[in-house]
Short mmCIF file of all heavy atoms in Angstrom, two decimals:
data_model
loop_
_atom_site.label_atom_id
_atom_site.label_comp_id
_atom_site.label_asym_id
_atom_site.label_seq_id
_atom_site.Cartn_x
_atom_site.Cartn_y
_atom_site.Cartn_z
N VAL A 1 0.85 -1.18 0.00
CA VAL A 1 0.00 0.00 0.00
C VAL A 1 0.89 1.24 -0.01
O VAL A 1 1.82 1.36 0.80
CB VAL A 1 -0.91 0.00 1.24
CG1 VAL A 1 -1.74 1.28 1.28
CG2 VAL A 1 -1.83 -1.22 1.22
N GLU A 2 0.61 2.16 -0.89
CA GLU A 2 1.41 3.37 -1.00
C GLU A 2 0.70 4.61 -0.45
O GLU A 2 1.37 5.56 0.02
CB GLU A 2 1.79 3.61 -2.46
CG GLU A 2 2.64 2.49 -3.06
CD GLU A 2 2.93 2.71 -4.51
OE1 GLU A 2 2.48 3.76 -5.07
OE2 GLU A 2 3.59 1.86 -5.14
N TYR A 3 -0.63 4.57 -0.47
CA TYR A 3 -1.37 5.75 -0.03
C TYR A 3 -2.79 5.34 0.30
O TYR A 3 -3.36 4.45 -0.33
CB TYR A 3 -1.35 6.81 -1.15
CG TYR A 3 -2.12 8.07 -0.85
CD1 TYR A 3 -1.64 9.00 0.09
CD2 TYR A 3 -3.32 8.36 -1.48
CE1 TYR A 3 -2.35 10.17 0.37
CE2 TYR A 3 -4.02 9.52 -1.23
CZ TYR A 3 -3.53 10.42 -0.29
OH TYR A 3 -4.23 11.58 -0.01
N ILE A 4 -3.38 6.01 1.33
CA ILE A 4 -4.77 5.78 1.73
C ILE A 4 -5.48 7.12 1.72
O ILE A 4 -5.07 8.05 2.41
CB ILE A 4 -4.86 5.12 3.12
CG1 ILE A 4 -4.20 3.75 3.11
CG2 ILE A 4 -6.34 4.98 3.50
CD1 ILE A 4 -4.17 3.07 4.46
N SER A 5 -6.52 7.18 0.94
CA SER A 5 -7.35 8.38 0.86
C SER A 5 -8.67 8.12 1.55
O SER A 5 -9.31 7.08 1.30
CB SER A 5 -7.55 8.79 -0.59
OG SER A 5 -8.45 9.88 -0.69
N MET A 6 -9.14 9.06 2.42
CA MET A 6 -10.41 8.91 3.13
C MET A 6 -11.49 9.68 2.41
O MET A 6 -11.25 10.73 1.80
CB MET A 6 -10.28 9.42 4.56
CG MET A 6 -9.07 8.88 5.31
SD MET A 6 -9.12 7.11 5.57
CE MET A 6 -10.29 7.02 6.90
N ASP A 7 -12.71 9.15 2.39
CA ASP A 7 -13.79 9.86 1.74
C ASP A 7 -14.13 11.17 2.44
O ASP A 7 -14.74 12.07 1.85
CB ASP A 7 -15.01 8.97 1.62
CG ASP A 7 -15.61 8.63 2.98
OD1 ASP A 7 -14.84 8.39 3.93
OD2 ASP A 7 -16.85 8.59 3.09
N LYS A 8 -13.78 11.29 3.72
CA LYS A 8 -13.94 12.52 4.48
C LYS A 8 -12.64 12.84 5.20
O LYS A 8 -12.14 12.04 6.00
CB LYS A 8 -15.05 12.40 5.53
CG LYS A 8 -16.44 12.19 4.94
CD LYS A 8 -16.98 13.46 4.29
CE LYS A 8 -18.43 13.26 3.86
NZ LYS A 8 -19.00 14.49 3.21
N ALA A 9 -12.07 13.98 4.85
CA ALA A 9 -10.89 14.41 5.58
C ALA A 9 -11.26 15.12 6.87
O ALA A 9 -10.47 15.15 7.82
CB ALA A 9 -10.04 15.33 4.71
N TYR A 10 -12.50 15.68 6.93
CA TYR A 10 -12.99 16.37 8.11
C TYR A 10 -14.46 16.04 8.24
O TYR A 10 -15.22 16.06 7.27
CB TYR A 10 -12.78 17.88 7.99
CG TYR A 10 -13.27 18.67 9.17
CD1 TYR A 10 -12.51 18.76 10.34
CD2 TYR A 10 -14.52 19.30 9.14
CE1 TYR A 10 -12.97 19.50 11.43
CE2 TYR A 10 -14.97 20.04 10.22
CZ TYR A 10 -14.21 20.10 11.37
OH TYR A 10 -14.67 20.82 12.48
N LEU A 11 -14.89 15.72 9.48
CA LEU A 11 -16.26 15.26 9.70
C LEU A 11 -16.79 15.83 11.00
O LEU A 11 -16.11 15.78 12.03
CB LEU A 11 -16.31 13.74 9.73
CG LEU A 11 -17.66 13.08 9.93
CD1 LEU A 11 -18.58 13.38 8.75
CD2 LEU A 11 -17.50 11.56 10.08
N LYS A 12 -18.02 16.40 10.96
CA LYS A 12 -18.71 16.87 12.15
C LYS A 12 -19.87 15.96 12.46
O LYS A 12 -20.67 15.62 11.58
CB LYS A 12 -19.23 18.30 11.94
CG LYS A 12 -18.20 19.38 12.08
CD LYS A 12 -18.85 20.76 12.01
CE LYS A 12 -17.86 21.87 12.26
NZ LYS A 12 -18.52 23.22 12.26
N LEU A 13 -20.00 15.56 13.70
CA LEU A 13 -21.12 14.73 14.16
C LEU A 13 -21.64 15.27 15.48
O LEU A 13 -20.94 15.96 16.21
CB LEU A 13 -20.64 13.28 14.34
CG LEU A 13 -20.20 12.50 13.09
CD1 LEU A 13 -19.65 11.14 13.51
CD2 LEU A 13 -21.34 12.32 12.11
N ASN A 14 -22.86 14.89 15.74
CA ASN A 14 -23.43 15.12 17.06
C ASN A 14 -23.29 13.86 17.89
O ASN A 14 -23.18 12.74 17.36
CB ASN A 14 -24.90 15.51 16.95
CG ASN A 14 -25.09 16.86 16.25
OD1 ASN A 14 -24.33 17.82 16.49
ND2 ASN A 14 -26.12 16.94 15.40
N VAL A 15 -23.26 14.06 19.20
CA VAL A 15 -23.17 12.92 20.09
C VAL A 15 -24.30 11.95 19.78
O VAL A 15 -25.45 12.33 19.64
CB VAL A 15 -23.21 13.37 21.56
CG1 VAL A 15 -23.24 12.13 22.46
CG2 VAL A 15 -22.00 14.23 21.90
N GLY A 16 -23.89 10.68 19.64
CA GLY A 16 -24.86 9.66 19.34
C GLY A 16 -24.96 9.30 17.88
O GLY A 16 -25.51 8.24 17.52
N GLU A 17 -24.46 10.14 16.99
CA GLU A 17 -24.50 9.86 15.56
C GLU A 17 -23.38 8.90 15.15
O GLU A 17 -22.33 8.82 15.81
CB GLU A 17 -24.42 11.14 14.76
CG GLU A 17 -25.64 12.03 14.88
CD GLU A 17 -25.56 13.28 14.02
OE1 GLU A 17 -24.43 13.73 13.73
OE2 GLU A 17 -26.62 13.78 13.62
N THR A 18 -23.61 8.27 14.02
CA THR A 18 -22.60 7.35 13.46
C THR A 18 -22.33 7.73 12.01
O THR A 18 -23.16 8.37 11.34
CB THR A 18 -23.05 5.88 13.53
OG1 THR A 18 -24.25 5.73 12.77
CG2 THR A 18 -23.29 5.47 14.98
N TYR A 19 -21.17 7.24 11.50
CA TYR A 19 -20.81 7.49 10.10
C TYR A 19 -19.86 6.39 9.65
O TYR A 19 -18.91 6.03 10.34
CB TYR A 19 -20.15 8.87 9.94
CG TYR A 19 -19.82 9.20 8.51
CD1 TYR A 19 -20.78 9.75 7.67
CD2 TYR A 19 -18.55 8.94 7.97
CE1 TYR A 19 -20.48 10.06 6.34
CE2 TYR A 19 -18.25 9.22 6.64
CZ TYR A 19 -19.25 9.78 5.83
OH TYR A 19 -18.96 10.07 4.53
N LEU A 20 -20.13 5.89 8.44
CA LEU A 20 -19.26 4.87 7.84
C LEU A 20 -18.17 5.57 7.05
O LEU A 20 -18.43 6.14 6.00
CB LEU A 20 -20.05 3.93 6.93
CG LEU A 20 -19.23 2.88 6.17
CD1 LEU A 20 -18.45 1.96 7.14
CD2 LEU A 20 -20.12 2.06 5.25
N LEU A 21 -16.98 5.52 7.57
CA LEU A 21 -15.83 6.13 6.92
C LEU A 21 -15.26 5.16 5.90
O LEU A 21 -14.97 4.00 6.22
CB LEU A 21 -14.79 6.51 7.96
CG LEU A 21 -13.70 7.50 7.54
CD1 LEU A 21 -14.31 8.84 7.15
CD2 LEU A 21 -12.71 7.71 8.70
N THR A 22 -15.08 5.62 4.66
CA THR A 22 -14.64 4.75 3.56
C THR A 22 -13.24 5.15 3.10
O THR A 22 -13.06 6.26 2.61
CB THR A 22 -15.61 4.82 2.39
OG1 THR A 22 -16.94 4.48 2.84
CG2 THR A 22 -15.17 3.86 1.29
N PRO A 23 -12.27 4.23 3.24
CA PRO A 23 -10.92 4.51 2.74
C PRO A 23 -10.74 3.99 1.32
O PRO A 23 -11.35 2.99 0.93
CB PRO A 23 -10.03 3.77 3.71
CG PRO A 23 -10.83 2.56 4.10
CD PRO A 23 -12.28 2.98 4.05
N THR A 24 -9.92 4.63 0.52
CA THR A 24 -9.51 4.16 -0.80
C THR A 24 -8.02 3.87 -0.77
O THR A 24 -7.23 4.75 -0.42
CB THR A 24 -9.82 5.18 -1.89
OG1 THR A 24 -11.25 5.43 -1.90
CG2 THR A 24 -9.41 4.65 -3.26
N ILE A 25 -7.67 2.66 -1.12
CA ILE A 25 -6.29 2.21 -1.02
C ILE A 25 -5.62 2.30 -2.39
O ILE A 25 -6.18 1.87 -3.40
CB ILE A 25 -6.22 0.79 -0.48
CG1 ILE A 25 -6.80 0.74 0.95
CG2 ILE A 25 -4.78 0.26 -0.48
CD1 ILE A 25 -6.94 -0.66 1.51
N TYR A 26 -4.42 2.84 -2.41
CA TYR A 26 -3.61 2.93 -3.62
C TYR A 26 -2.29 2.18 -3.42
O TYR A 26 -1.68 2.28 -2.34
CB TYR A 26 -3.33 4.39 -4.00
CG TYR A 26 -4.58 5.20 -4.30
CD1 TYR A 26 -5.18 5.94 -3.29
CD2 TYR A 26 -5.15 5.20 -5.56
CE1 TYR A 26 -6.33 6.68 -3.54
CE2 TYR A 26 -6.29 5.96 -5.81
CZ TYR A 26 -6.87 6.70 -4.81
OH TYR A 26 -8.01 7.43 -5.08
N PRO A 27 -1.82 1.41 -4.44
CA PRO A 27 -2.53 1.12 -5.70
C PRO A 27 -3.69 0.18 -5.49
O PRO A 27 -3.79 -0.50 -4.46
CB PRO A 27 -1.43 0.50 -6.56
CG PRO A 27 -0.54 -0.18 -5.59
CD PRO A 27 -0.52 0.72 -4.38
N GLU A 28 -4.55 0.13 -6.51
CA GLU A 28 -5.74 -0.70 -6.40
C GLU A 28 -5.40 -2.18 -6.28
O GLU A 28 -6.17 -2.95 -5.70
CB GLU A 28 -6.66 -0.48 -7.60
CG GLU A 28 -7.26 0.90 -7.66
CD GLU A 28 -8.23 1.07 -8.82
OE1 GLU A 28 -8.36 0.08 -9.58
OE2 GLU A 28 -8.82 2.15 -8.98
N ASN A 29 -4.23 -2.59 -6.87
CA ASN A 29 -3.86 -4.01 -6.83
C ASN A 29 -2.95 -4.34 -5.67
O ASN A 29 -2.20 -5.34 -5.70
CB ASN A 29 -3.20 -4.42 -8.14
CG ASN A 29 -1.92 -3.66 -8.41
OD1 ASN A 29 -1.68 -2.60 -7.86
ND2 ASN A 29 -1.09 -4.21 -9.30
N ALA A 30 -2.96 -3.52 -4.65
CA ALA A 30 -2.17 -3.81 -3.47
C ALA A 30 -2.51 -5.21 -2.95
O ALA A 30 -3.67 -5.61 -2.94
CB ALA A 30 -2.39 -2.77 -2.40
N THR A 31 -1.46 -5.92 -2.57
CA THR A 31 -1.67 -7.31 -2.16
C THR A 31 -2.49 -7.44 -0.89
O THR A 31 -3.44 -8.20 -0.81
CB THR A 31 -0.31 -8.00 -1.97
OG1 THR A 31 0.46 -7.87 -3.16
CG2 THR A 31 -0.49 -9.48 -1.65
N ASN A 32 -2.12 -6.70 0.10
CA ASN A 32 -2.79 -6.77 1.41
C ASN A 32 -3.51 -5.46 1.66
O ASN A 32 -2.89 -4.44 1.93
CB ASN A 32 -1.76 -7.05 2.51
CG ASN A 32 -2.40 -7.32 3.84
OD1 ASN A 32 -3.61 -7.15 4.04
ND2 ASN A 32 -1.59 -7.77 4.79
N LYS A 33 -4.83 -5.50 1.59
CA LYS A 33 -5.63 -4.31 1.78
C LYS A 33 -6.27 -4.23 3.16
O LYS A 33 -7.16 -3.41 3.40
CB LYS A 33 -6.71 -4.24 0.71
CG LYS A 33 -6.18 -4.06 -0.70
CD LYS A 33 -7.30 -3.88 -1.70
CE LYS A 33 -6.77 -3.65 -3.10
NZ LYS A 33 -7.86 -3.43 -4.08
N HIS A 34 -5.79 -5.04 4.06
CA HIS A 34 -6.35 -5.03 5.41
C HIS A 34 -6.07 -3.69 6.09
O HIS A 34 -4.96 -3.14 6.01
CB HIS A 34 -5.78 -6.17 6.23
CG HIS A 34 -6.25 -6.15 7.65
ND1 HIS A 34 -7.52 -6.53 8.03
CD2 HIS A 34 -5.60 -5.77 8.81
CE1 HIS A 34 -7.65 -6.41 9.33
NE2 HIS A 34 -6.50 -5.95 9.84
N ILE A 35 -7.09 -3.18 6.78
CA ILE A 35 -7.00 -1.90 7.48
C ILE A 35 -7.28 -2.12 8.96
O ILE A 35 -8.25 -2.76 9.35
CB ILE A 35 -7.99 -0.87 6.90
CG1 ILE A 35 -7.63 -0.53 5.46
CG2 ILE A 35 -8.04 0.39 7.76
CD1 ILE A 35 -6.33 0.20 5.32
N ASP A 36 -6.42 -1.53 9.77
CA ASP A 36 -6.67 -1.44 11.21
C ASP A 36 -7.13 -0.02 11.53
O ASP A 36 -6.52 0.96 11.07
CB ASP A 36 -5.41 -1.77 12.01
CG ASP A 36 -5.05 -3.24 11.93
OD1 ASP A 36 -5.96 -4.08 11.90
OD2 ASP A 36 -3.83 -3.56 11.88
N TRP A 37 -8.21 0.07 12.33
CA TRP A 37 -8.78 1.37 12.65
C TRP A 37 -8.39 1.77 14.07
O TRP A 37 -8.38 0.96 14.98
CB TRP A 37 -10.30 1.35 12.52
CG TRP A 37 -10.77 1.12 11.10
CD1 TRP A 37 -11.01 -0.06 10.48
CD2 TRP A 37 -11.03 2.14 10.14
NE1 TRP A 37 -11.41 0.13 9.19
CE2 TRP A 37 -11.44 1.52 8.95
CE3 TRP A 37 -10.98 3.54 10.17
CZ2 TRP A 37 -11.77 2.20 7.81
CZ3 TRP A 37 -11.32 4.24 9.03
CH2 TRP A 37 -11.70 3.57 7.86
N GLN A 38 -8.14 3.05 14.24
CA GLN A 38 -7.78 3.59 15.56
C GLN A 38 -8.44 4.95 15.75
O GLN A 38 -8.63 5.69 14.78
CB GLN A 38 -6.26 3.71 15.70
CG GLN A 38 -5.51 2.41 15.82
CD GLN A 38 -4.03 2.62 16.06
OE1 GLN A 38 -3.55 3.77 16.12
NE2 GLN A 38 -3.28 1.52 16.20
N THR A 39 -8.72 5.28 17.00
CA THR A 39 -9.18 6.61 17.38
C THR A 39 -8.22 7.21 18.38
O THR A 39 -7.71 6.51 19.25
CB THR A 39 -10.59 6.58 17.97
OG1 THR A 39 -10.99 7.93 18.35
CG2 THR A 39 -10.67 5.66 19.18
N LYS A 40 -7.96 8.46 18.22
CA LYS A 40 -7.02 9.12 19.12
C LYS A 40 -7.62 9.36 20.50
O LYS A 40 -6.91 9.30 21.51
CB LYS A 40 -6.56 10.45 18.50
CG LYS A 40 -5.45 11.13 19.27
CD LYS A 40 -4.96 12.36 18.54
CE LYS A 40 -3.83 13.04 19.32
NZ LYS A 40 -3.34 14.26 18.62
N ASP A 41 -8.95 9.62 20.56
CA ASP A 41 -9.61 9.89 21.83
C ASP A 41 -10.93 9.13 21.84
O ASP A 41 -11.93 9.61 21.29
CB ASP A 41 -9.85 11.38 22.02
CG ASP A 41 -10.33 11.72 23.42
OD1 ASP A 41 -10.65 10.78 24.19
OD2 ASP A 41 -10.41 12.94 23.74
N PRO A 42 -11.00 7.96 22.46
CA PRO A 42 -12.25 7.19 22.50
C PRO A 42 -13.34 7.84 23.33
O PRO A 42 -14.49 7.41 23.26
CB PRO A 42 -11.79 5.86 23.10
CG PRO A 42 -10.55 6.16 23.85
CD PRO A 42 -9.88 7.27 23.12
N GLU A 43 -13.02 8.91 24.13
CA GLU A 43 -14.04 9.62 24.86
C GLU A 43 -14.85 10.55 23.96
O GLU A 43 -15.93 10.97 24.31
CB GLU A 43 -13.41 10.42 26.00
CG GLU A 43 -12.66 9.60 27.02
CD GLU A 43 -13.58 8.69 27.82
OE1 GLU A 43 -14.76 9.06 28.04
OE2 GLU A 43 -13.14 7.57 28.18
N VAL A 44 -14.25 10.80 22.81
CA VAL A 44 -14.92 11.68 21.85
C VAL A 44 -15.63 10.85 20.77
O VAL A 44 -16.79 11.06 20.46
CB VAL A 44 -13.91 12.65 21.20
CG1 VAL A 44 -14.61 13.51 20.12
CG2 VAL A 44 -13.30 13.53 22.26
#
């Protein structure tokens, strides 16, 4: 994988709302496209 582009670079939500964040992986033929997700502040 050389680059990961997110469908949203900036996102506003209200408490209780959800959103499916979609990443695009480059190159498209990357062998391993597995993604691990992390949050910097789980209280937020």
Side-chain angles (χ1 to χ4, degrees):
V1 176
E2 298 177 1
Y3 179 71
I4 298 176
S5 174
M6 311 296 283
D7 67 320
K8 296 287 186 180
Y10 180 80
L11 181 65
K12 282 186 176 183
L13 295 174
N14 294 319
V15 174
E17 292 183 333
T18 61
Y19 183 84
L20 176 60
L21 196 61
T22 304
T24 301
I25 297 173
Y26 299 94
E28 293 183 358
N29 62 340
T31 305
N32 188 351
K33 294 184 177 182
H34 176 75
I35 295 294
D36 290 323
W37 295 90
Q38 290 184 359
T39 179
K40 187 175 181 180
D41 190 351
E43 300 294 329
V44 176

